[in-house]
Amino acid sequence: MKTIFSRDTSSHGRFFIITQGAYLIGLIVHSILAVIFYLISIKELMWFNILYSIPAFIIAQTLNKKGKYNIAFSIVFTALFIHQIIGIIFLGWGFGFQYLLFYLIGLTFFNIYWSNKIRIIMLMIIILSYEGLYFFLKNAQVYTLSDIHRQLFHLSASAGLMIAIAFLTNYYVQAAIKAEKNLERKNQFIKKTFGKYLSDNVVNNILETPEGLKLGGEKRKVTILMSDIRGFTKISENLPAENVIAILNDYLETMTEIILKYNGTIDEFIGDAILVIFGAPYSESDDSQRAVACALEMQKAMKQVNVLNKTNGYPELEIGIAINTGEVVVGNIGSDKRAKYGVVGKDVNLTSRIESYTIGGQILISENTYKECENILEISDTEKVMPKGLNKPINIFDVTGIQGKYNVRLEKKDIEWQVLDTPIKITFSVFREKDIYDEICIGRVTKISEKYFELKSDTKLDKLDNLKIMFNKNSNEEIYGKVVKLVYHKEQKYIVNITSSSNKIFLK
């Protein structure tokens, strides 16, 4: 059994105030009892109060002021216990002193400094003393008093017991109510503070399980979603900081609503990237399906985001999303002073690698995720890739829709090409895994669309190669792109997606 109060400063203060007042009342009552016992000529109880009970309350008050709460309480508790025993021995069972043993039971749980072991020992002593006195001294008494005295003592003892029970009951009830209110305030504070960053699932896990805030984790199968704004670094370089933050906040607010709608756990925002977990802290049978449906709705919501951006005079955004399913370590990671609920493992890294292959408006999923929900997926393309850290190639799938209960799909858009009267001569460098190769390649742009251009070059390129493109007429003009299609006829042609800047740069 745990005490109602933890041992903090407020608990010490409450305990001091209540016991200090109780010791003063005890001092007054036992001083009056000493006089009463003198008047009715019960010298033993008179001297016991004078020599032990009254000094015990005085000493307890002094020790209490010095912060020695436990010693003070133990002295008074012992004095009260002995006083009731002696009262029963000298006056007999009919005077009601046995009732006063009962409120000592309540006091055993009142002391916040006693361990459970001490409480149980004191409880057993009180119970055994009561039973022993009942069976062996029920009809014995040293002094015989008049009926009026016996009735007054009996009524006084009964009234004292009732007052003590009422006081202790009120104390425990008020303490419980206050503790519940404090807990509710803390819970509301946690929900209000961390609910901005964590999903309701994680917050509730922290609040409802005793181990919710403990460091440590567990291995479990989850589906990981990672999204990133294409070319956001370039966008942020050309805008004031406050505008960059405003764009991000509007975008993340929209995405967060969708993620939480599909019961995703937002692990963290990494700049313009979002890392989401499906399957932790609580897993469902359709984690992978919900992740895919969530990604599709996130892509569809970019239209709404860009309407707002256009209204505010901001550039349009595009995001790439990757989804992977695998076993990770999930839990509270960090130190006692600072921790976060997150995931670690090779499948988190693989998700990041897959995300690097995406272009704006695209969702790529791993083989594991595909196998989880292949019968209801709409796939536009499949590509074999060799991500860094793997020993063999894997297939990734370009998802455009999901059937079944979620029934979400992307709008199909045809590319509207503009053929250039005069091809634009460019130079470009190829980079993979963010490492740019020194070789400068030459090519010509023959036609353009809103997000793509056709590149002719003698340089052999692979699908998903990233390009840094420079213009001979002005070396400061550059864009980034990704090869999304290979077209081999009489010469090598490539369809390149523009991942930063726009096609307007070709028209200058």
Side-chain angles (χ1 to χ4, degrees), residues 292-312:
V292 172
C294 177
L296 289 163
E297 193 161 328
M298 288 170 67
Q299 288 290 14
K300 288 171 68 69
M302 289 307 298
K303 184 176 181 180
Q304 168 192 338
V305 171
N306 285 322
V307 167
L308 181 61
N309 283 344
K310 187 176 181 180
T311 302
N312 294 328

Side-chain angles (χ1 to χ4, degrees), residues 59 74 93 258 265 372 394 416 448-449:
I59 294 171
S74 300
W93 201 258
I258 296 170
T265 296
E372 292 276 327
I394 62 169
E416 297 181 1
I448 61 174
S449 73

Side-chain angles (χ1 to χ4, degrees), residues 28-282:
I28 295 171
V29 170
H30 282 262
S31 298
I32 295 172
L33 284 174
V35 175
I36 292 173
F37 289 134
Y38 170 76
L39 293 175
I40 60 177
S41 301
I42 304 178
K43 300 297 191 293
E44 291 85 354
L45 289 176
M46 178 194 73
W47 286 113
F48 179 82
N49 278 281
I50 293 173
L51 298 177
Y52 188 70
S53 295
I54 294 173
F57 285 106
I58 295 173
I59 294 171
Q61 283 193 308
T62 303
L63 292 173
N64 227 26
K65 292 177 181 178
K66 295 181 178 180
K68 298 180 180 181
Y69 311 124
N70 190 25
I71 298 174
F73 186 89
S74 300
I75 290 173
V76 168
F77 187 90
T78 303
L80 291 172
F81 176 71
I82 297 174
H83 188 275
Q84 315 318 336
I85 298 296
I86 294 176
I88 294 172
I89 292 173
F90 280 90
L91 297 177
W93 201 258
F95 280 77
F97 277 95
Q98 69 275 13
Y99 297 143
L100 300 178
L101 286 174
F102 294 154
Y103 82 82
L104 291 179
I105 294 175
L107 291 181
T108 59
F109 296 97
F110 178 78
N111 188 353
I112 63 175
Y113 304 100
W114 278 358
S115 66
N116 288 336
K117 184 177 180 180
I118 293 176
R119 291 193 183 102
I120 292 172
I121 292 173
M122 298 307 298
L123 185 62
M124 294 304 298
I125 291 174
I126 294 170
I127 293 173
L128 292 174
S129 299
Y130 180 89
E131 292 180 349
L133 291 169
Y134 180 81
F135 285 109
F136 299 107
L137 294 174
K138 182 179 180 181
N139 298 317
Q141 61 185 82
V142 177
Y143 291 93
T144 302
L145 300 178
S146 65
D147 288 342
I148 186 64
H149 287 149
R150 181 175 58 78
Q151 291 172 1
L152 286 174
F153 271 106
H154 194 280
L155 291 173
S156 299
S158 301
L161 175 62
M162 293 177 187
I163 292 171
I165 291 175
F167 170 78
L168 290 172
T169 301
N170 179 71
Y171 175 79
Y172 289 130
V173 169
Q174 292 301 321
I177 292 173
K178 190 169 185 178
E180 188 174 345
K181 288 182 178 179
N182 288 337
L183 180 61
E184 181 62 25
R185 278 197 295 268
K186 290 179 181 178
N187 288 352
Q188 290 300 326
F189 173 78
I190 291 173
K191 285 184 177 181
K192 184 177 180 180
T193 303
F194 295 104
K196 299 176 182 178
Y197 310 103
L198 304 176
S199 72
D200 289 341
N201 283 342
V202 177
V203 175
N204 290 333
N205 186 51
I206 291 173
L207 295 176
E208 294 175 5
T209 59
E211 62 277 6
L213 287 172
K214 289 182 180 178
L215 294 175
E218 60 175 337
K219 283 187 176 181
R220 65 191 304 168
K221 180 182 176 183
V222 301
T223 296
I224 307 156
L225 181 153
M226 187 176 290
S227 71
D228 185 68
I229 300 177
R230 303 291 86 181
F232 191 73
T233 301
K234 191 74 175 178
I235 293 173
S236 61
E237 288 174 353
N238 299 321
L239 290 173
E242 57 271 21
N243 289 358
V244 174
I245 297 300
I247 292 172
L248 271 180
N249 287 342
D250 291 339
Y251 160 73
L252 292 175
E253 183 176 356
T254 302
M255 297 300 109
T256 298
E257 289 180 3
I258 296 170
I259 292 165
L260 297 184
K261 171 185 172 182
Y262 285 93
N263 291 331
T265 296
I266 301 173
D267 180 70
E268 60 182 332
F269 300 130
I270 314 167
D272 58 295
I274 308 174
L275 178 60
V276 185
I277 312 165
F278 292 85
Y282 304 109

Side-chain angles (χ1 to χ4, degrees), residues 318 451-453 479-481 496-503 506:
E318 288 187 305
K451 298 177 182 178
Y452 298 90
F453 66 87
I479 65 173
Y480 290 87
V496 180
N497 173 258
I498 303 169
T499 56
S500 71
S501 190
S502 71
N503 66 354
F506 294 109

